[in-house]
Amino acid sequence: MKLYDGGRAPNPRRVRVFLAEKGVSVPLVPVDMAAMEHRGETMTRLNPLQRLPILELDDGTVLTETVAICRYFEELSPEPALFGRGALGRAVVEMWQRRIEFGLFGAVAAAFRHLHPAMREWEVPQVSEWGEANKPKAREFLHFLDSELAGRQFIAGDVLSIADITGFVAVQFMKPARIEMPEGLDHVRRWYDDIAARPSASA
């Protein structure tokens, strides 16, 4: 088994943080995305969509898509449960994972991909108006999240879940996306600092 990894890119990073929380070690194969290695012949053969991360199993089976890879490891190593427990717990985590992915992670990614000069060859066409339009969407969602975090420690409840990992990576990615954290979000800042203090945050 090996995980083709894209370094600082947010999706590969989500998987690394997830694995660190699980205490699972998987051999990493570095892929230089700046040099467009993810669009080379080898990566295209493994994933025709030319995206990372990619998990290749020992029998040659290939899994792509961040959450799908994380779900695979959740099944192999159920503890700690990062997708929730029981029917309701899993549904709540799924609900928040989707909310964070669409409301925050996606908005930050759109701002970065459509505005950053380094993405000019990746995002064709770059639509600067769409990039700018997503900045307030991210900030608006953070205000919503702040009100939710007033009543609990983590995004989906009292224990860490994949929703927290997605949210944490999204907030970190706001810096290269040039989105400033709004003032007064004390609950978001408390939550962020708690996640940043965990050993997995350096994965």
Side-chain angles (χ1 to χ4, degrees):
M1 181 187 302
K2 51 191 172 183
L3 181 66
Y4 293 88
D5 178 64
R8 293 179 296 175
N11 282 311
R13 180 156 157 65
R14 280 202 284 168
V15 173
R16 293 200 310 275
V17 173
F18 186 92
L19 292 175
E21 283 290 335
K22 286 284 186 185
V24 172
S25 179
V26 178
L28 297 180
V29 179
V31 179
D32 188 345
M33 297 183 76
M36 295 292 189
E37 286 185 359
H38 60 296
R39 296 189 177 182
E41 182 179 346
T42 299
M43 294 299 99
T44 301
R45 175 177 53 81
L46 293 171
N47 183 5
L49 294 177
Q50 299 177 326
R51 296 172 184 168
L52 297 174
I54 298 169
L55 179 67
E56 185 176 15
L57 306 184
D58 292 338
D59 66 357
T61 300
V62 172
L63 286 175
T64 64
E65 303 303 329
T66 298
V67 176
I69 292 171
C70 290
R71 283 191 182 276
Y72 176 75
F73 285 110
E74 179 88 348
E75 293 295 322
L76 292 182
S77 303
E79 296 297 331
L82 298 178
F83 278 89
R85 296 181 185 279
L88 179 59
R90 291 188 181 95
V92 169
V93 169
E94 181 73 18
M95 175 181 75
W96 277 104
Q97 164 62 20
R98 294 279 288 181
R99 284 177 166 181
I100 296 293
E101 231 175 7
F102 282 96
L104 181 61
F105 191 92
V108 173
F112 177 77
R113 294 183 69 93
H114 285 275
L115 291 170
H116 201 287
M119 298 300 294
R120 189 170 290 114
E121 294 182 18
W122 294 33
E123 195 65 44
V124 180
Q126 268 192 327
V127 182
S128 60
E129 293 85 355
W130 178 239
E132 291 294 347
N134 273 276
K135 289 184 176 183
K137 291 177 183 290
R139 291 191 290 264
E140 180 181 355
F141 188 90
L142 285 169
H143 281 284
F144 163 66
L145 183 60
D146 191 71
S147 66
E148 292 287 328
L149 286 170
R152 56 185 180 271
Q153 183 177 1
F154 297 104
I155 288 176
D158 296 326
V159 295
L160 182 103
S161 73
I162 188 172
D164 296 288
I165 294 170
T166 298
F168 175 71
V169 173
V171 171
Q172 285 197 323
F173 202 52
M174 286 168 59
K175 184 175 181 179
R178 298 169 185 169
I179 303 173
E180 293 185 5
M181 175 71 74
E183 295 293 330
L185 301 187
D186 296 338
H187 305 297
V188 166
R189 289 187 181 276
R190 182 269 308 160
W191 161 83
Y192 177 85
D193 289 343
D194 286 350
I195 305 298
R198 299 174 75 95
S200 64
S202 61

